[in-house]
Amino acid sequence: MKGGVGKTSVTMGLASAALQRGVRTLVIDLDPHADTTTGLAVSRGAGTEAGQLLKDARRTRVEEHAVRSGWLDLLPEPMRQSARLDVVAGSAMAATYDRPDLRPRDMKRLRTLLTGLTGYDLVLVDCPPSLSGLTRIAWTASHQVLLVAEPSLFSVAGTERTMRAIRMFSDEFAPQLASAGVVVNRTRADSTEHEYRLLEMERLYQDKLLLPVLEENAYWQQIQGAAYPVHQWPGDQARDLASSFDQLLRQLV
Ligand SMILES: Nc1ncnc2c1ncn2[C@@H]1O[C@H](COP(=O)(O)OP(=O)(O)O)[C@@H](O)[C@H]1O
Ligand SMILES: [Mg+2]
């Protein structure tokens, strides 16, 4: 729900881990800000963007409109041959569907679009920072929802509210939807407040708290700014981060 907690960063980290492991992945950028699209090195205007595909959901095959991620060009040659990472680009047009009063038929647009999809092992959907129409469209189409939270009071409270909203929503509209758990991001080892909130989250979420927790890491912004997959960035700091995403992906797929 919250902006800036790291939803997009986690999506990109998981996409990078999937690429490394040879998991054929489609990333759908439902956030009108389109940060994931930029981060995955897709230029604006490439392919058909998410809003248009949602509009044409009934008569469109998503495979024909997704764009190849520019990350593939950064892979060593033997990996590049077999790797698959495509992106449904985000853009402001998707915001048309970000209303609180969506009709059930609009809620099913992404599900309709993905029905019969072949050629991918994993689909990651990055959501905007709200529980409005687009996020509900994503829930309706998904098997699992992964929450990202910071170890702060407001974020813990917000995660609780989101979990309740997911339970209510799935009872009514999305019986297939399960919670994949909570990823904690931006922890600082030197913060007693963070330590306290982490203990609180362990107590609240128990086995739904995914490990490892992700630390605040200034390198990350550099890596994202360069539109690079973390697994291809040199240095120990990036290697640790990449390994964290390997472990998270293994728990999800
Ligand atoms: N663990 C982290 N360490 C350092 N910077 C981070 C971390 N996680 C996210 N950021 C940065 O914080 C900003 C917001 O993150 P983002 O993933 O875009 O959040 P959201 O998608 O939830 O709005 C980005 O600039 C990102 O690079
Ligand atoms: Mg985002």
Side-chain angles (χ1 to χ4, degrees):
M1 172 141 69
K2 205 166 165 286
V5 293
K7 294 179 296 298
T8 295
S9 302
V10 168
T11 306
M12 292 201 288
L14 291 173
S16 178
L19 187 59
Q20 190 69 20
R21 218 173 97 186
V23 176
R24 299 168 303 167
T25 303
L26 174 66
V27 176
I28 300 180
D29 190 356
L30 273 198
D31 189 341
H33 274 274
D35 296 335
T36 311
T37 306
T38 312
L40 287 161
V42 169
S43 37
R44 293 286 163 108
T48 310
E49 47 91 19
Q52 188 64 46
L53 293 183
L54 291 176
K55 186 159 177 270
D56 300 335
R58 280 176 182 282
R59 42 180 193 278
T60 304
R61 281 171 55 81
V62 69
E63 302 92 306
E64 289 163 14
H65 299 274
V67 194
R68 179 180 175 277
S69 165
W71 283 6
L72 292 169
D73 300 329
L74 303 166
L75 298 179
E77 184 58 45
M79 257 180 88
R80 200 184 311 165
Q81 299 300 334
S82 56
R84 185 158 192 199
L85 178 60
D86 293 335
V87 184
V88 168
S91 87
M93 192 190 156
T96 331
Y97 293 105
D98 211 19
R99 305 188 305 263
D101 58 342
L102 272 192
R103 293 168 300 181
R105 110 161 208 241
D106 286 333
M107 215 112 73
K108 291 195 189 111
R109 283 180 184 273
L110 185 58
R111 178 148 91 191
T112 305
L113 191 65
L114 296 180
T115 300
L117 179 73
T118 55
Y120 299 101
D121 308 306
L122 173 68
V123 180
L124 296 168
V125 187
D126 190 24
C127 290
S130 83
L131 293 183
S132 200
L134 285 171
T135 298
R136 284 158 200 263
I137 282 175
W139 289 350
T140 307
S142 299
H143 294 110
Q144 298 191 80
V145 52
L146 181 65
L147 300 180
V148 183
E150 283 171 328
S152 72
L153 171 64
F154 291 149
S155 187
V156 174
T159 305
E160 284 282 280
R161 273 197 302 278
T162 307
M163 282 178 150
R164 225 171 303 133
I166 292 168
R167 274 196 298 273
M168 281 168 58
F169 184 83
S170 63
D171 284 349
E172 198 166 346
F173 299 106
Q176 86 293 344
L177 187 68
S179 163
V182 181
V183 176
V184 185
N185 184 31
R186 314 196 80 143
T187 54
R188 284 195 312 272
D190 61 353
S191 162
T192 38
E193 163 69 9
H194 281 191
E195 202 180 320
Y196 173 80
R197 292 295 164 202
L198 268 175
L199 286 172
E200 183 180 41
M201 287 166 134
E202 269 172 22
R203 191 167 40 78
L204 280 171
Y205 309 137
Q206 298 177 9
D207 61 339
K208 287 291 177 194
L209 186 76
L210 295 181
L211 296 176
V213 299
L214 301 169
E215 289 182 1
E216 180 77 25
N217 180 338
Y219 280 88
W220 209 349
Q221 282 168 37
Q222 217 177 320
I223 299 167
Q224 289 174 348
Y228 240 78
V230 60
H231 288 73
Q232 300 305 321
W233 196 263
D236 290 346
Q237 288 268 2
R239 196 166 325 126
D240 291 348
L241 193 53
S243 151
S244 296
F245 282 113
D246 292 337
Q247 291 173 62
L248 289 174
L249 185 72
R250 227 172 284 136
Q251 293 165 74
L252 299 173
V253 183

